[in-house]
Amino acid sequence: MALMAAAAARMDDHDEYAKLVRRMNPPRVVIDNEASDDATVIRVDSVNSHGTLLAVVQVIADLNLVIRKAYFSSDGNWFMDVFNVTDRDGNKVLDASTISYIQKTLEADDWYYPEARNTVGIVPSEDYTSIELTGTDRPGLLSEVCAVLAAMGCAVQSAELWTHNTRVAAVVHVTDAKTAGAIEDAARIADISARLGNLLRGQSDVRAGGGAGAGSLALHKERRLHQMMFDDRGHAAAAQPDGAAPRTEVSVTPCAERGYTVVVVRCRDRPKLLFDTVCTITDMHYVVHHGTVSAEPGGGAYQEYYIRHVDGHAVRCDDERQRLVRCLEAAIERRTAEGLELEVRTGDRAGLLSDITRIFRENGLTIRRAEISSSGGEAVDTFYLSDPQGLPVEAKTIEAIRAQIGEATLRVKNNPFAAGDGAARKDADVAGAGTTAFIFGNLFKFYRPFQSFSLVKLYS
């Protein structure tokens, strides 16, 4: 405890010094729609600290903007960065409110805190209670977890779930179904923890903490998921089948003359790719001193980083090099959910997520990834679903899924199995009980959601 207190005191001192330096040298942000013909250019100059690059990239990623090209340099005590960004449709960012948000957020003194956020701890909130789960698969567990939360009067406000290599991590934000606020009663939190512990059949470590006032820093769900899967022993990237071309190529080589280690990543391009790689590099306590990122023809992405450890040394041994390669491969691949991207949009109500996951379980769906949100009485849930064996599904099974979900609007946002199938199509909607178009393709059969969670953490 004394060591923890001393570390906390040092962190507080460092935070105060960093904030003083920033107040004397505030960040400068320029957003330019004239410098490039096909992208909005964002330039950021600021005092450098560990995690500065990640803080900037996180703002861009959270707005669902696509980084087409980027250059950054942070030698010395100053950070200079240039991003060429577009929206998801490839257009410049012209919305005045979005531009204002980027400008104000990146110029705010309190946005750039030194990285205390790469540890596992309790961050209080008045708005919700957060539940974290990591572990291996057990058939039907997600449905059971949702049923327990619903039965105990917990309303799921938002959640995000990732799976990779038979491992799973989830962050779920819940409120009291009656008060719509955080669950702060210690006895009730203990009861929820105990019931989840029983559900996990003794294969978990359950810890709980009550909520006080809201903290100024809320845990970023995607950042936490990376940290949870990084800490989990199942974080290594999957081995490629014999003869298969690797989806992700990561090389780590020395640059002895400059004292750097050069990391090069080549993979399929996708949204939030830069966030995932920079998040992993930062959480592994490396600093990006120089880098360049670009989209390549044919849907590829190229990233090059010149890094050192926070203590100033380059990668020093082969074990360290291999660990960096494995962790970057896993970070890139765990968000790449291959299969059907299905959006369920409907009026929110108590137990909705429990019902949806039960329907998926009863009809044999595999959930690769999920994004759950609720706002203004409407639930918008996106599930990444696949048939683990790639076998076709009978039309009556698809009809049963549609009929059981009922009046919700179902939207296929991405269907990789639809190529060459005129009946299946991308961005198609199925609304109401009378629709008969089977747009799901041959996707639904077997079920393998969460198998046995090894860690559950509950905090307000």
Side-chain angles (χ1 to χ4, degrees):
M1 294 297 292
L3 290 175
M4 293 177 63
R10 289 194 298 271
M11 183 69 72
D12 289 342
D13 291 343
H14 187 55
D15 283 359
E16 291 303 318
Y17 175 75
K19 286 187 282 187
L20 174 61
V21 173
R22 286 195 179 280
R23 282 195 293 269
M24 295 173 64
N25 301 276
R28 295 191 297 270
V29 179
V30 175
I31 301 175
D32 188 350
N33 271 308
E34 303 298 328
S36 171
D37 292 335
D38 54 9
T40 297
V41 178
I42 301 174
R43 300 185 183 90
V44 181
D45 298 336
S46 74
V47 173
N48 185 44
S49 64
H50 182 50
T52 299
L53 176 59
L54 178 59
V56 175
V57 172
Q58 181 176 309
V59 172
I60 298 173
D62 286 348
L63 290 169
N64 290 318
L65 300 178
V66 178
I67 299 172
R68 304 294 181 184
K69 187 184 300 183
Y71 308 94
F72 25 86
S73 178
S74 61
D75 262 350
N77 296 319
W78 199 254
F79 170 84
M80 294 173 286
D81 205 352
V82 179
F83 297 94
N84 286 26
V85 304
T86 66
D87 62 20
R88 290 291 182 93
D89 297 323
N91 302 314
K92 290 185 178 183
V93 182
L94 301 175
D95 179 69
S97 61
T98 301
I99 292 174
S100 176
Y101 174 82
I102 296 171
Q103 189 98 32
K104 291 179 179 178
T105 302
L106 294 181
E107 289 181 347
D109 290 337
D110 59 357
W111 182 251
Y112 305 89
Y113 278 92
E115 282 306 306
R117 286 171 284 180
N118 59 345
T119 58
V120 178
I122 294 175
V123 175
S125 173
E126 291 177 342
D127 300 325
Y128 55 79
T129 297
S130 185
I131 302 172
E132 297 181 353
L133 308 100
T134 63
T136 55
D137 285 346
R138 174 166 69 79
L141 187 55
L142 174 58
S143 178
E144 295 172 24
V145 168
C146 293
V148 167
L149 293 175
M152 300 194 69
C154 300
V156 177
Q157 297 301 308
S158 66
E160 190 145 354
L161 172 153
W162 292 353
T163 64
H164 184 246
N165 281 5
T166 75
R167 305 295 293 177
V168 64
V171 177
V172 185
H173 292 170
V174 301
T175 59
D176 185 290
K178 294 182 179 179
T179 66
I183 301 170
E184 297 186 351
D185 179 71
R188 186 176 176 191
I189 290 176
D191 191 19
I192 295 172
S193 298
R195 294 199 185 190
L196 288 175
N198 292 336
L199 181 65
L200 301 178
R201 300 173 184 173
Q203 301 178 9
S204 65
D205 174 23
V206 178
R207 288 176 281 174
S216 61
L217 288 176
L219 287 178
H220 187 267
K221 284 200 290 292
E222 294 177 348
R223 180 79 187 277
R224 281 297 299 134
L225 286 166
H226 275 302
Q227 292 169 350
M228 291 158 64
M229 298 199 89
F230 174 78
D231 292 335
D232 186 69
R233 290 294 179 251
H235 67 267
Q240 295 293 327
D242 292 340
R247 292 174 297 180
T248 302
E249 296 180 6
V250 179
S251 66
V252 177
T253 57
C255 180
E257 64 273 15
R258 295 296 182 91
Y260 296 121
T261 296
V262 183
V263 178
V264 174
V265 177
R266 288 184 173 91
C267 63
R268 185 175 63 190
D269 200 9
R270 60 164 174 78
K272 301 190 178 182
L273 177 63
L274 182 59
F275 172 82
D276 293 339
T277 54
V278 172
C279 183
T280 300
I281 290 171
T282 303
D283 284 340
M284 294 184 73
H285 304 292
Y286 295 103
V287 177
V288 177
H289 290 272
H290 304 282
T292 181
V293 172
S294 62
E296 295 186 323
Y302 177 86
Q303 299 182 347
E304 182 176 299
Y305 304 100
Y306 290 76
I307 67 170
R308 294 189 186 115
H309 196 269
V310 290
D311 62 9
H313 68 73
V315 172
R316 291 182 287 193
C317 64
D318 191 59
D319 286 346
E320 184 181 358
R321 182 191 66 80
Q322 291 183 16
R323 180 170 177 265
L324 180 57
V325 169
R326 288 195 303 269
C327 290
L328 282 170
E329 289 175 345
I332 293 167
E333 293 176 7
R334 69 173 63 112
R335 197 199 285 266
T336 305
E338 295 184 351
L340 175 73
E341 183 179 351
L342 175 65
E343 180 184 275
V344 181
R345 186 182 294 265
T346 187
D348 198 12
R349 58 174 174 79
L352 174 65
L353 186 58
S354 175
D355 290 343
I356 292 175
T357 54
R358 173 183 55 79
I359 291 170
F360 289 169
R361 171 175 58 84
E362 292 173 350
N363 287 277
L365 303 184
T366 296
I367 302 175
R368 300 293 188 185
R369 189 155 63 91
E371 299 170 2
I372 310 299
S373 64
S374 176
S375 178
E378 182 181 44
V380 181
D381 304 337
T382 301
F383 299 94
Y384 298 78
L385 310 167
S386 69
D387 178 348
Q389 296 189 15
L391 299 177
V393 179
E394 296 180 359
K396 63 181 182 182
T397 304
I398 301 172
E399 173 64 14
I401 295 168
R402 181 201 57 75
Q404 290 173 45
I405 290 181
E407 295 299 323
T409 297
L410 307 182
R411 182 186 181 199
V412 177
K413 300 177 70 176
N414 181 43
N415 184 356
F417 296 91
D421 183 358
R425 61 190 185 275
K426 186 177 180 179
D427 288 333
D429 293 338
V430 180
T435 305
T436 59
F438 298 115
I439 64 172
F440 298 101
N442 297 325
L443 288 166
F444 305 128
K445 191 164 184 178
F446 298 100
Y447 179 63
R448 224 188 67 198
F450 300 121
Q451 290 210 355
S452 57
F453 287 88
S454 60
L455 171 65
V456 173
K457 296 173 61 183
L458 176 64
Y459 53 86
S460 301

